[in-house]
Amino acid sequence: MPDMIPVRRALLSVSDKTGIVEFARMLVAHGAEVLSTGGTAQAIRDAGIPVKDISEFTGFPEILDGRVKTLLPQVHGGLLGRRDLPEHLAEMERHAITPIDLVAVNLYPFEATVAKGGAFADCIENIDIGGPAMIRSAAKNFASVVVVTEPAQLIEVQGELAAGGTSMALRRRLAQAAYARTAAYDAAISTWFAGQNGEAFPQRLATAGLLRQTLRYGENPHQRAGFYSDGTQRPGIATAAQIQGKELSYNNLNDTDAAFECVAEFDEPAIVIVKHANPCGVATAASLAEAWDLALRCDPVSAFGGIVAANRLLDAPAAERITAIFTEVVVAPDADDAARAIFARKKNLRLLLTGALPDPAAPGMVWKSVAGGFLAQSRDAGRITLPDLKVVTQRAPTDRELADLLFAFRVCKHVKSNAIVYAKDLATVGIGAGQMNRVESSRIAAWKSEAAAKAAGLDRPLAEGSVVASDAFFPFADGLETAAAAGATAVIQPGGSMRDAEVIAAADKAGLAMVFTGMRHFRH
């Protein structure tokens, strides 16, 4: 079988017609016969290019409202017949089957129909049957057939055909892409059906991703990495436009996602600063500039080289403050012209604009790889509001404490366990993350509040007069006592420990107000 093969007959049947007319014109110019179906044939014909309807080629009309038009031996025999086997060629001749050397199919828009909330019947009718069958047939016989499944591939194929024919290397690569496309298409259909059937975890879970970027390396230089989008269009790093700056790294992307998901929790202007996937400063205020000042005050040392997320249009005052220290990435829904000009002074700073915020309460799935498989769970979409709180101490929180408690618990949801968050006036003043016991997280958060106060020139820890949030219950009273010693006046925690009574008694003894949420926010 020769490496380079010409295209004498091509079948074009596409939903996305980008570039298809120009491609058909090129094929005809190189002496190829063009076969086509429905709207694709009409678009080619309207451009004055010779085209033969598939029904004329097969001698069989489209039937069942177009559900059957290419599922015929004349099509699949023409695609699957091996040109290097005399018995195949003889059989094709006996049955009047002519070879088809190229197929360009990009499938009915099932994913787009689902994404726009299409009715059940519309989604069903947008499940392509003939298209995937042709793609799979052509890809299997890549030694002799070219298969095109994306408009962008047309240009590459056109370039090789202009040089006399397609190479084996290109055909093999397009075959791999073809099977990946049909796999992703079937995964989308399977996932949609599972949702329609009310199955959160079907017996066989199919997933697919589209490569957005090959990364320089993974978490460390000796690791390889790529960034894939899953097609859900959740606002964030997969939908963001990078306005400026260096190429994003694996760690940049991971940290930026963590920051943006956290900042979306808040309704007032908010800033989140993240380092190594943990918030090191979070605040809400009347403006983003004020929120930045408060967030930075929490841990100015860790903020250096961090990731910054905002939940509003970035303006000049905020941009001036953010660029005053070294920052790796800034992500926000948008930025005005003045802010963009300020960020442009820092040519290496990456600026990502998403156009929207993710919905913290929206359903969704998250995955984590483990040896031999992966874990799947629903996204932590839990959100505690004032009516959910249960006062368990003799003293009830004040209105100011309640506002800070709810704020701190929302931050806690985005801090790695064991998580302790001190907050005051809707700003974090100490964060303890990722420790193996809750007492150490409490101590680290208190120590950070002391260090931040010292950096700000204050004579008392920031945590004095604050509230404290814990992502899970205090198993013993010592964690709570550590928070009280740091200056906390009120506590928010899930409750549910077998020693709750002991912890409540310790809170009463210290004069703390404490509320239970009944909801845990572990984050591993």
Side-chain angles (χ1 to χ4, degrees):
M1 180 68 64
D3 180 70
M4 300 292 290
I5 62 168
V7 172
R8 299 183 178 86
R9 185 171 294 101
L11 173 51
L12 314 180
S13 180
V14 295
S15 294
D16 182 348
K17 296 176 177 55
T18 304
I20 201 66
V21 170
E22 295 78 4
F23 190 71
R25 182 176 288 112
M26 179 275 303
L27 289 170
V28 171
H30 283 81
E33 179 183 30
V34 174
L35 316 174
S36 192
T37 64
T40 306
Q42 190 61 51
I44 295 170
R45 190 173 291 114
D46 288 346
I49 302 168
V51 60
K52 180 181 288 187
D53 284 309
I54 195 67
S55 57
E56 181 184 353
F57 174 74
T58 63
F60 198 92
E62 294 185 12
I63 62 172
L64 305 178
D65 296 323
R67 283 190 168 198
V68 176
K69 48 192 170 187
T70 58
L71 296 169
L72 299 165
Q74 292 89 339
V75 172
H76 289 276
L79 294 172
L80 284 165
R82 288 181 56 176
R83 281 55 156 177
D84 60 333
L85 292 181
E87 55 268 35
H88 275 212
L89 295 175
E91 194 169 359
M92 290 170 71
E93 184 175 0
R94 188 162 62 251
H95 294 290
I97 293 174
T98 53
I100 300 173
D101 307 311
L102 180 147
V103 166
V105 177
N106 54 38
L107 307 180
Y108 294 171
F110 174 82
E111 296 103 326
T113 304
V114 171
K116 68 181 182 183
F120 184 89
D122 289 336
C123 292
I124 292 295
E125 287 309 312
N126 274 281
I127 296 176
D128 202 330
I129 302 301
M134 287 190 291
I135 288 172
R136 292 175 64 83
S137 291
K140 179 173 181 174
N141 203 20
F142 67 87
S144 302
V145 182
V146 189
V147 57
V148 177
T149 53
E150 306 282 352
Q153 296 168 349
L154 294 171
I155 296 173
E156 193 172 9
V157 173
Q158 185 169 333
E160 287 210 357
L161 289 177
T166 60
S167 66
M168 178 68 80
L170 175 63
R171 296 194 302 275
R172 284 175 64 109
R173 187 152 40 83
L174 292 178
Q176 181 278 324
Y179 282 118
R181 177 65 188 111
T182 57
Y185 195 72
D186 285 342
I189 296 167
S190 170
T191 300
W192 174 77
F193 259 120
Q196 295 295 308
N197 297 340
E199 297 176 88
F201 300 99
Q203 183 65 31
R204 190 176 293 275
L205 181 64
T207 63
L210 179 64
L211 183 65
R212 288 285 305 273
Q213 183 183 354
T214 299
L215 305 174
R216 286 176 296 164
Y217 51 81
E219 286 183 287
N220 301 290
H222 62 277
Q223 294 172 268
R224 300 171 65 187
F227 174 34
Y228 288 81
S229 60
D230 64 7
T232 57
Q233 296 301 302
R234 182 174 175 82
I237 56 173
T239 64
Q242 183 171 351
I243 305 304
Q244 65 166 68
K246 298 187 298 182
E247 181 180 331
L248 289 156
S249 72
Y250 179 100
N251 293 329
N252 291 152
L253 290 164
N254 188 52
D255 289 352
T256 302
D257 179 67
F260 202 55
E261 289 288 338
C262 183
V263 85
E265 295 279 356
F266 306 104
D267 299 322
E268 298 304 316
I271 290 287
V272 172
I273 308 172
V274 159
K275 197 70 171 288
H276 296 297
N278 273 305
C280 59
V282 182
T284 65
S287 69
L288 289 180
E290 294 174 72
W292 165 262
D293 290 340
L294 294 169
L296 178 64
R297 183 188 64 171
C298 180
D299 190 352
V301 174
S302 297
F304 184 84
I307 309 294
V308 177
N311 65 350
R312 291 284 194 285
L313 174 87
L314 287 161
D315 55 17
E320 288 285 10
R321 283 168 166 79
I322 292 169
T323 55
I325 70 168
F326 171 52
T327 300
E328 289 275 9
V329 181
V330 178
V331 60
D334 206 349
D336 64 24
D337 290 342
R340 294 186 190 209
I342 292 166
F343 287 124
R345 299 175 196 161
K346 305 287 186 178
K347 64 178 183 178
N348 289 332
L349 182 149
R350 294 88 155 182
L351 176 61
L352 303 182
L353 301 180
T354 64
L357 287 169
D359 179 1
M365 297 292 290
V366 293
W367 293 270
K368 179 180 176 62
S369 64
V370 295
F374 58 90
L375 302 172
Q377 66 172 344
S378 60
R379 181 183 293 114
D380 185 356
R383 171 173 281 205
I384 295 298
T385 59
L386 197 58
D388 301 313
L389 302 181
K390 178 185 177 183
V391 179
V392 295
T393 48
Q394 294 171 7
R395 183 174 79 79
T398 65
D399 289 345
R400 183 193 68 80
E401 287 174 329
L402 282 171
D404 282 341
L405 288 168
L406 289 171
F407 168 84
F409 201 64
R410 287 189 183 178
V411 175
C412 222
K413 172 181 170 182
H414 296 270
V415 178
K416 296 294 180 70
S417 297
N418 287 312
I420 293 291
V421 174
Y422 293 99
K424 185 176 181 180
D425 299 327
L426 304 181
T428 56
V429 293
I431 299 174
Q435 299 307 301
M436 286 66 75
N437 67 74
R438 205 158 295 280
V439 177
E440 291 304 315
S441 288
S442 295
R443 288 172 179 162
I444 288 171
W447 173 77
K448 283 182 173 290
S449 85
E450 294 170 2
K454 185 177 180 180
L458 303 177
D459 57 5
R460 59 183 185 177
L462 294 182
E464 190 169 317
S466 68
V467 305
V468 63
S470 175
D471 63 339
F473 61 66
F474 287 101
F476 300 95
D478 52 1
L480 180 138
E481 290 165 348
T482 301
T489 63
V491 182
I492 185 170
Q493 58 136 318
S497 168
M498 58 189 297
R499 293 184 177 85
D500 275 348
E502 176 185 325
V503 175
I504 292 169
D508 284 332
K509 183 178 179 181
L512 303 180
M514 185 160 65
V515 295
F516 284 0
T517 65
M519 179 181 291
R520 189 179 75 183
H521 281 312
F522 270 168
R523 185 179 182 86
H524 290 104

